[in-house]
Amino acid sequence: MKKTIFSLTAALIVLTTAVFGAHMYVGENNTNVSETENGVKAEKETTAETGTKTNALVAYFSCTGTTEQIAEYISSGTSADLYEIIAADPYTDEDLDYTDSSSRTTKEQNNSSARPEISGLVEDMDQYDIVFIGYPIWHGQAPRIISTFLESYDFSGKTIVPFCTSHSSGIGSSDTNLHSLCSDSTAWIDGRRFASGTSGDEVMEWVNSLNLDISEVKTVGEFDFESKTVLLNSGYEMPIMGLGTYSLSDEECAVSIAALLEARGRLIDTAYMYHNEAAVGKAVRESDVPREEIFVITKLYPNQYDSAAEAIDEALEKMGLDYIDMMLLHHPGTNDVEAYKAMEQAVADGKIRSIGLSNWYVEELTEFLPQVTITPALVQNEIHPYYQENDVIPFIQSLGIVVQGWYPFGGRGYTAELLSDETISAIAAIHDVTSAQVILRWNLQKGVVVIPGSSNPDHIRENLDLFGFELTNEEMEQINALDRNEKHDWY
C-alpha cells in the first residue's frame, strides 16, 4: 500500500491536543472552533471522523477582524487549515494610531529591519504546498510581523498567495517586497486587495481563478470510505477490511486469499502461531495483484521475543516477501519491549513498514509506550458486540493509533449466537443485508478495522460488501447496548 508523506510533528501536535485537550472559544460566526497552542484553528470535531484537510494553509495577521474574515472565507471555501499570526506583544489601540509618528506601528513600518516577535509556530509547515498569507496595509506596506513570518520558515518549493485588506490602498509594492524575502524556488502568485465587506463569493471567485492544485490530505486514523483505507501514523495506508487466516490450513489459505483478492480485498492477517505464513506469502506472490497493493500483517509470538531479529528474518524468508507491511507483537510477554525494539530496527532497515501490538489494553499501553521509540501504528484486540472495549478503543485512537478487531463474530463456539442475535438480525432485515455485514459495518463506523476469518469464498465476498448501506445512530446505539463485557479468549 502507498505511503503518504506528512509531518510527524504535525501528528504529534494533533495527538497532544487529542489527549490533553484544546483551548475552546466561539468564533465570530458562532462556530465552535479549537485553537491549539500553535495558533492553528480548526472546526471542532463532533465525531470520530475528521473533516477534510488539504495541502493548503491560510496564514493571516489581523487586528480589526477584516483580514480575519477574508482568511476564513478562503479557509472555508478550500478546506485549508487556518493559522493566525499573533504578535507576542499584542498591538493596542494606541499602537495602531497611524497619525502618531511615535506610535509603535509607525516606528516599525519606518524600520525595514523591524521584526516583531510572533507567538507560536506552524509546527507542520512541511505538509503544506500552498500558503495564503493575509495582512492589512499599514503605511502602504505589509506589517513587519509578516516579514517575521516569512523569514521563520523555508518556503522553498511552495506556492505563496498573498492577499491584503485596506480601505483604499491596493496591494502595491508590499507584494513585491515580501516576495524578496523568500527563496528563488518559491512560486509567488500576484496578490489581491479586498475591502471591508467583501463577500465570500467574491473572495472564492478570485481563489478559483488562480487554478491552484489544492488537494485533499488524509488525516491519520481517519477512515476513507471511498478508497476503503485508513492512513496510519507510519505514513502508509491500510485497507479497513480484509481476511483473518487464523486456523486456515495451507490449502484453505490459498483458496481464501484468491477469493479475497478477486473481490478486491487487499488486507491479509496471519501470524507465526497460525503456521500458515508460508502459504500466505505464496498466495501473495502468485497472485496477479501487484505486491504494493496488498497489505500483509503477521505477528511475533512471545516464544520468539528473545531472538526477535532472527524471527523477523525468518518470517520474511518463510513468506518469500521483500518486506512485511505490518508486524505486531502477538501479546504481552517476557522481553516484549526488546522484541519491539528489534521491530523498530527492522523498520529502519526496510524489512518492515509499520509495527504495532496485539492484545494490549489501557494499562499495558500506558506502561509499554514510554519504553519504545516508534508509536505503534496499530493495536489489534478482540472486539465484537458482546465485548466492545468502549473504554479501550477511544483511548487507543486518541494516541493516533488505529484499532483493528479480531473475532468480530465472537469466535468459534460463539458465532452462531451472535449472528442470530435478535437485535442484529432485525437491523440486518431492515437493510436487506446479513447479520455478519451489520456487525462488520458497526465496527467500521466505530473506526475499527475488521479482519473476519473464513474459508468460504461466498462469505469472504460478502464480508467485503459493506458500503452499500449505513447504520443509523439509533441502530449503532442498539448494538452498543448488547455489550456484555464477555471476552471469548484469554489474551
Side-chain angles (χ1 to χ4, degrees), residues 304-367:
Q304 297 178 294
Y305 293 172
D306 287 341
S307 54
E310 291 82 357
I312 292 168
D313 289 339
E314 180 185 339
L316 282 165
E317 183 178 355
K318 195 180 297 182
M319 290 192 285
L321 302 178
D322 292 332
Y323 63 89
I324 295 168
D325 295 276
M326 173 81 74
M327 180 171 275
L328 312 176
L329 298 186
H330 198 285
H331 60 271
T334 303
N335 291 327
D336 50 17
V337 172
E338 289 73 15
Y340 191 89
K341 290 180 178 178
M343 294 198 301
E344 291 180 330
Q345 183 58 50
V347 170
D349 295 339
K351 298 177 180 179
I352 304 173
R353 291 188 166 181
S354 304
I355 56 179
L357 304 166
S358 184
N359 305 299
W360 254 261
Y361 302 89
V362 174
E363 184 178 343
E364 291 85 355
L365 286 168
T366 302
E367 179 182 349

Side-chain angles (χ1 to χ4, degrees), residues 103-366:
S103 72
R104 175 184 172 187
T105 53
T106 302
K107 288 180 178 179
E108 287 180 354
Q109 295 307 104
N110 288 336
N111 180 5
S112 61
S113 63
R115 295 294 184 269
E117 185 180 350
I118 294 174
S119 174
L121 288 170
V122 181
E123 300 287 353
D124 51 352
M125 184 63 83
D126 287 348
Q127 80 176 51
Y128 301 112
D129 300 317
I130 300 166
V131 181
F132 292 86
I133 299 179
Y135 52 88
I137 292 293
W138 287 359
H139 295 290
Q141 292 295 319
R144 298 300 180 193
I145 198 170
I146 299 299
S147 299
T148 307
F149 178 79
L150 287 173
E151 292 175 347
S152 297
Y153 306 93
D154 181 6
F155 291 97
S156 300
K158 299 183 186 296
T159 297
I160 291 184
V161 187
F163 63 94
C164 73
T165 57
S166 72
H167 294 295
S168 56
S169 303
I171 198 163
S173 60
S174 71
D175 185 343
T176 305
N177 291 339
L178 292 176
H179 187 184
S180 66
L181 300 176
C182 296
S183 69
D184 293 339
S185 66
T186 303
W188 194 276
I189 292 180
D190 290 340
R192 168 76 179 267
R193 170 253 176 188
F194 295 98
S196 176
T198 300
S199 70
D201 288 342
E202 184 178 347
V203 173
M204 286 311 301
E205 183 179 351
W206 168 67
V207 172
N208 292 333
S209 72
L210 302 177
N211 296 317
L212 298 169
D213 184 18
I214 299 178
S215 55
E216 183 177 344
V217 175
K218 293 186 176 182
T219 303
V220 171
E222 177 183 350
F223 279 23
D224 185 336
F225 278 45
E226 213 170 287
S227 67
K228 303 170 185 175
T229 61
V230 59
L231 177 62
L232 303 170
N233 62 28
S234 59
Y236 290 95
E237 293 180 25
M238 180 181 72
I240 57 177
M241 74 288 187
L243 174 71
T245 64
Y246 171 65
S247 79
L248 295 184
S249 66
D250 288 358
E251 185 177 344
E252 288 173 325
C253 260
V255 173
S256 298
I257 291 173
L260 176 85
L261 297 176
E262 183 181 355
R264 304 195 65 78
R266 295 293 185 262
L267 174 63
I268 304 167
D269 177 79
T270 183
Y272 167 79
M273 281 302 289
Y274 298 176
H275 305 295
N276 57 20
E277 284 178 314
V280 168
K282 184 173 185 290
V284 170
R285 295 195 313 273
E286 294 181 352
S287 75
D288 294 330
V289 179
R291 169 67 183 97
E292 62 271 14
E293 291 185 16
I294 304 173
F295 198 103
V296 178
I297 301 174
T298 191
K299 311 174 194 73
L300 297 181
Y301 203 72
N303 63 8
Q304 297 178 294
Y305 293 172
D306 287 341
S307 54
E310 291 82 357
I312 292 168
D313 289 339
E314 180 185 339
L316 282 165
E317 183 178 355
K318 195 180 297 182
M319 290 192 285
L321 302 178
D322 292 332
Y323 63 89
I324 295 168
D325 295 276
M326 173 81 74
M327 180 171 275
L328 312 176
L329 298 186
H330 198 285
H331 60 271
T334 303
N335 291 327
D336 50 17
V337 172
E338 289 73 15
Y340 191 89
K341 290 180 178 178
M343 294 198 301
E344 291 180 330
Q345 183 58 50
V347 170
D349 295 339
K351 298 177 180 179
I352 304 173
R353 291 188 166 181
S354 304
I355 56 179
L357 304 166
S358 184
N359 305 299
W360 254 261
Y361 302 89
V362 174
E363 184 178 343
E364 291 85 355
L365 286 168
T366 302

Side-chain angles (χ1 to χ4, degrees), residues 348-393:
D349 295 339
K351 298 177 180 179
I352 304 173
R353 291 188 166 181
S354 304
I355 56 179
L357 304 166
S358 184
N359 305 299
W360 254 261
Y361 302 89
V362 174
E363 184 178 343
E364 291 85 355
L365 286 168
T366 302
E367 179 182 349
F368 186 87
L369 294 182
Q371 302 179 72
V372 300
T373 302
I374 299 178
T375 300
L378 182 76
V379 170
Q380 185 191 101
N381 287 343
E382 177 181 345
I383 298 171
H384 49 78
Y386 292 163
Y387 186 71
Q388 299 187 14
E389 292 196 17
N390 289 322
D391 57 337
V392 180
I393 292 172

